[in-house]
């Protein structure tokens, strides 16, 4: 419970602050440095430093959409453009995203996605972006002819009972369905090829194909299952690129299941060998952003230093997004106001991320709460005014946040509202020691009495045996007499 004392003894009103040790002072990033493509369009956050902002309603000023989307290939590029358009309805960014999606989808055979995009454009981009029925019909004819040929080839392979040819036939048919945007059929084809896999490499190829389809369908239960299958495959660690892809996919599955700590561990363990080989699912910039946000929300200072700031492999990913790197350094160095302002500036861009958008507010809330807990943990007492200044927020808003954390048990403290001071409640180590000693003593006495009773029963041959597996009766006459004598 929260104690809001109106007055305290004058001897308790002094403030003793012990600042956290092991604070690394990192030189801040130069103010003139350019933003990366991922966060180029981030707008300045609210002046009060609060990261619990309302969902993005304003236009993301200066968002470099072309630079951002250049990080992706294949279906990931189109899906992200459609997502950005849906999140920017009625804004110039919507039409720009639809224009890029239209140009990209016409390079593929995905007529279903083309129809969706053309419908969303609705003639707003002129005749050049009107629905092209002739193109759709031509693609449909070519795709239908190719699918018939692939199915006939697969039927022939099954007739000849050549396992490798059957596996390749299923893969080719799955790739064709995937290019057409028929994810369910592609998923089934990849799964069917499993019975014809003869090497570890074949199994890993099958798992990666299934994972790619499952990510696009949003079925992250299948992602987790097939990542587990792939990781249990012999010789899986022989290819670091495959291991990195599986780690990134596993982190994405944990992120969507809101298991942020497990997601952070997976993302920070992804090898730099990943590079741009997985851009049809995740870009390396995504690994950095997702990993940092999940780590800040769930890691303590020790884990943050060991797994993030001192992790040479993950540093290579953070170098791709300097703003995220500086956020980590500011958080670890307890420069919370600067850290939270930078997070506020990134929020509009993060809300345009297909995988991260629905988790942004939850992660931001956990990051702020962890910052408050981390700030108060080394203090005996602290003025709310100085703490509010450190977090660039108002004292009354800060008091409400602290009261909620105290009631949730995250902070062991009490608030003196009259003096504007937060006093820590430290556990009585002496009383806790006595409690543990008494509990151990009672357990020892109980175990000793049980041992003495067993020894007495054995001494007097007082036992109980089952009769015919049904009932239970007493021992022999001599045993009974012995028991009576003992009594």
């Amino acid at each position: 419970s929260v104690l809001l004392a109106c007055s305290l003894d004058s001897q308790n009103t002094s403030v003793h602050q012990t600042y956290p040790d092991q604070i690394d002072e990192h030189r801040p990033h130069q103010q003139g440095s350019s933003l990366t493509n991922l966060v180029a369009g981030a707008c300045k956050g609210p002046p009060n430093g609060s990261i619990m902002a309302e969902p993005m309603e304003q236009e993301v000023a200066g968002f470099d959409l072309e630079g951002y989307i250049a990080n992706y290939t294949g279906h990931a590029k189109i899906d992200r453009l459609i997502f950005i358009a849906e999140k920017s309805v009625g804004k110039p960014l919507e039409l720009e995203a639809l224009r890029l999606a239209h140009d990209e989808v016409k390079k593929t055979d995905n007529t279903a996605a083309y129809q969706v995009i053309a419908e969303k454009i609705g003639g707003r981009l002129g005749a050049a972006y009107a629905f092209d029925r002739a193109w759709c019909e031509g693609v449909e004819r070519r795709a239908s002819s190719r699918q018939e040929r692939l199915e006939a080839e697969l039927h022939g392979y099954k007739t000849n009972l050549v396992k490798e040819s059957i596996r390749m036939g299923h893969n080719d048919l799955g790739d064709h369905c995937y290019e057409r945007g028929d994810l369910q059929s592609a998923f089934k084809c990849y799964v069917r090829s499993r019975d014809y896999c003869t090497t570890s490499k074949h199994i890993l190829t099958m798992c990666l194909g299934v994972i790619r389809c499952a990510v696009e369908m949003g079925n992250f239960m299948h992602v987790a299952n097939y990542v587990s299958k792939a990781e249990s495959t012999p010789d899986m660690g022989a290819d670091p690129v495959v291991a990195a892809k599986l780690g990134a996919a596993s982190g994405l599955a944990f992120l969507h299941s809101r298991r942020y700590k497990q997601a952070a561990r997976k993302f920070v363990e992804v090898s730099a060998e990943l590079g741009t080989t997985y851009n049809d699912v995740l870009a390396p910039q995504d690994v950095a952003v997702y990993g940092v946000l999940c780590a800040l929300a769930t890691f303590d200072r020790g884990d943050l230093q060991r797994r993030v700031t001192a992790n040479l492999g993950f540093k290579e990913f953070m170098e791709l997004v300097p703003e995220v790197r500086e956020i980590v350094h500011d958080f670890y160095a307890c420069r919370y106001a600067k850290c939270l302002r930078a997070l506020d500036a990134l929020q509009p861009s993060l809300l345009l991320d297909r995988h991260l958008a629905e988790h942004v507010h939850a992660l931001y809330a956990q990051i702020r709460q962890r910052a408050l807990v981390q700030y108060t943990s080394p203090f005996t007492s602290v003025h709310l005014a100085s703490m509010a200044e450190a977090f660039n927020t108002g004292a009354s808003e800060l008091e409400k946040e602290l009261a909620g954390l105290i009631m949730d048990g995250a902070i062991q403290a009490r608030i003196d509202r009259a003096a504007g001071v937060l006093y820590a409640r430290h556990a009585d180590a002496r009383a806790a020691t006595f409690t543990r000693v008494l509990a151990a003593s009672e357990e020892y006495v109980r175990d000793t009495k049980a041992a003495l009773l067993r020894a007495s029963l054995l001494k007097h041959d007082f036992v109980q045996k089952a009769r015919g597996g049904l009932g239970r009766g007493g021992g022999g006459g001599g045993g009974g007499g012995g028991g009576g004598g003992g009594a």
Side-chain angles (χ1 to χ4, degrees):
S1 61
V2 184
L3 176 62
L4 299 176
C6 294
S7 64
L8 295 172
D9 296 337
S10 59
Q11 60 183 0
N12 293 332
T13 58
S14 61
V15 177
H16 306 283
Q17 298 184 359
T18 305
Y19 288 92
D21 55 357
Q22 299 178 350
I23 294 180
D24 294 340
E25 293 294 337
H26 298 278
R27 182 172 62 86
H29 194 60
Q30 294 181 359
Q31 297 294 328
S33 61
S34 60
L35 294 174
T36 59
N37 290 334
L38 178 67
V39 294
C43 61
K44 186 176 180 180
N48 64 355
S50 171
I51 59 177
M52 290 300 294
E54 293 297 323
M56 182 185 61
E57 296 293 342
Q58 72 278 11
E59 177 68 39
V60 183
F63 183 72
D64 184 9
L65 180 59
E66 291 188 7
Y68 166 73
I69 209 63
N71 294 322
Y72 305 95
T73 59
H75 289 196
K77 194 175 203 176
I78 299 171
D79 292 342
R80 285 178 179 267
L81 286 169
I82 294 175
F83 182 85
I84 292 172
E86 291 174 348
K87 291 293 182 179
S88 309
V89 175
K91 304 171 186 176
L93 189 61
E94 178 194 9
L95 293 180
E96 184 181 359
L98 291 174
R99 178 180 61 80
L100 292 174
H102 179 278
D103 294 341
E104 190 66 28
V105 78
K106 290 202 77 172
K107 301 174 185 178
T108 70
D109 293 337
N110 194 343
T111 54
Y114 174 76
Q115 292 176 13
V116 171
I117 294 169
E119 183 179 352
K120 289 181 179 294
I121 292 174
R124 291 179 291 171
L125 292 175
Y129 292 90
F131 182 71
D132 190 345
R133 188 175 301 279
W135 177 85
C136 279
E137 292 176 352
V139 170
E140 288 286 353
R141 285 194 300 269
R142 291 194 302 272
S144 177
S145 175
R146 185 166 185 265
Q147 182 166 346
E148 290 177 0
R149 178 174 58 82
L150 290 173
E151 289 175 349
E153 290 177 355
L154 179 59
H155 181 72
Y157 297 149
K158 289 182 177 180
T159 302
N160 295 330
L161 299 177
V162 182
K163 292 187 67 174
E164 177 62 14
S165 297
I166 296 174
R167 183 190 69 83
M168 293 181 64
H170 280 300
N171 277 342
D172 291 342
L173 189 57
D175 291 342
H176 171 74
C177 292
Y178 178 79
E179 291 300 324
R180 293 277 296 140
D182 188 358
L183 299 177
Q184 289 287 355
S185 297
F187 182 89
K188 292 177 182 178
C189 289
Y190 291 136
V191 171
R192 287 168 184 159
S193 71
R194 181 182 181 184
D195 295 334
Y196 305 96
C197 294
T198 56
T199 66
S200 298
K201 185 177 180 180
H202 293 167
I203 296 174
L204 291 174
T205 301
M206 180 273 298
C207 288
L208 288 174
V210 171
I211 289 169
R212 182 178 61 176
C213 289
V215 168
E216 292 191 27
M217 291 189 296
N219 191 333
F220 290 94
M221 182 68 71
H222 282 317
V223 174
N225 289 340
Y226 280 89
V227 166
S228 179
K229 284 178 173 41
E231 290 177 341
S232 62
T233 302
D235 303 328
M236 189 278 292
D239 189 346
V241 175
V242 171
K245 288 181 178 181
L246 293 175
S250 180
L252 196 60
F254 281 126
L255 174 66
H256 279 273
S257 62
R258 300 187 180 274
R259 298 162 67 182
Y260 299 131
K261 190 165 188 176
Q262 292 91 328
R265 289 176 177 171
K266 287 295 183 179
F267 284 127
V268 300
E269 291 172 359
V270 173
S271 170
E273 297 288 339
L274 180 70
T276 59
T277 60
Y278 212 32
N279 283 6
D280 56 343
V281 178
L282 284 180
Q285 291 88 343
D286 294 331
V287 175
V289 174
Y290 299 173
V292 164
L293 290 180
C294 292
L296 292 178
T298 57
F299 284 177
D300 56 28
R301 283 181 62 81
D303 282 340
L304 193 64
Q305 193 275 336
R306 182 174 63 258
R307 296 177 181 268
V308 180
T309 61
N311 186 340
L312 296 179
F314 192 65
K315 275 186 176 180
E316 295 190 30
F317 289 107
M318 290 196 294
E319 290 298 327
L320 299 173
V321 193
E323 291 73 20
V324 170
R325 179 196 62 201
E326 293 304 319
I327 286 173
V328 173
H329 291 164
D330 290 335
F331 188 91
Y332 186 73
C334 302
R335 296 189 289 266
Y336 298 117
K338 183 179 178 182
C339 171
L340 297 180
R341 280 197 298 269
L343 284 170
D344 276 330
L346 294 184
Q347 188 176 15
S349 294
L350 298 181
L351 289 172
L352 296 177
D353 187 284
R354 178 172 176 251
H355 295 296
L356 194 62
E358 63 177 308
H359 306 281
V360 168
H361 296 300
L363 288 170
Y364 271 37
Q366 292 186 32
I367 291 172
R368 184 172 179 84
Q369 290 177 6
R370 185 161 291 274
L372 292 170
V373 172
Q374 186 171 293
Y375 184 93
T376 58
S377 59
F379 296 159
T380 302
S381 58
V382 60
H383 279 297
L384 295 181
S386 62
M387 188 173 177
E389 183 179 356
F391 281 85
N392 195 27
T393 188
S396 58
E397 291 80 3
L398 179 64
E399 182 181 314
K400 293 178 182 178
E401 289 186 77
L402 292 173
L405 292 173
I406 292 172
M407 295 192 69
D408 292 338
I411 297 178
Q412 301 297 322
R414 54 181 180 154
I415 299 174
D416 182 352
R417 173 175 284 180
V421 179
L422 177 76
Y423 291 94
R425 281 182 174 176
H426 296 293
D428 189 342
R430 180 183 176 87
T433 301
F434 279 122
T435 301
R436 288 197 301 271
V437 170
L438 288 174
S441 300
E442 292 174 357
E443 185 178 359
Y444 175 77
V445 170
R446 183 172 62 253
D447 291 345
T448 302
K449 287 182 177 180
L452 290 173
L453 177 60
R454 176 176 173 79
S456 178
L457 293 173
L458 292 175
K459 177 181 177 180
H460 298 287
D461 193 26
F462 191 82
V463 297
Q464 189 175 25
K465 298 179 180 178
R467 291 182 176 176
L470 297 175
R472 300 183 69 183

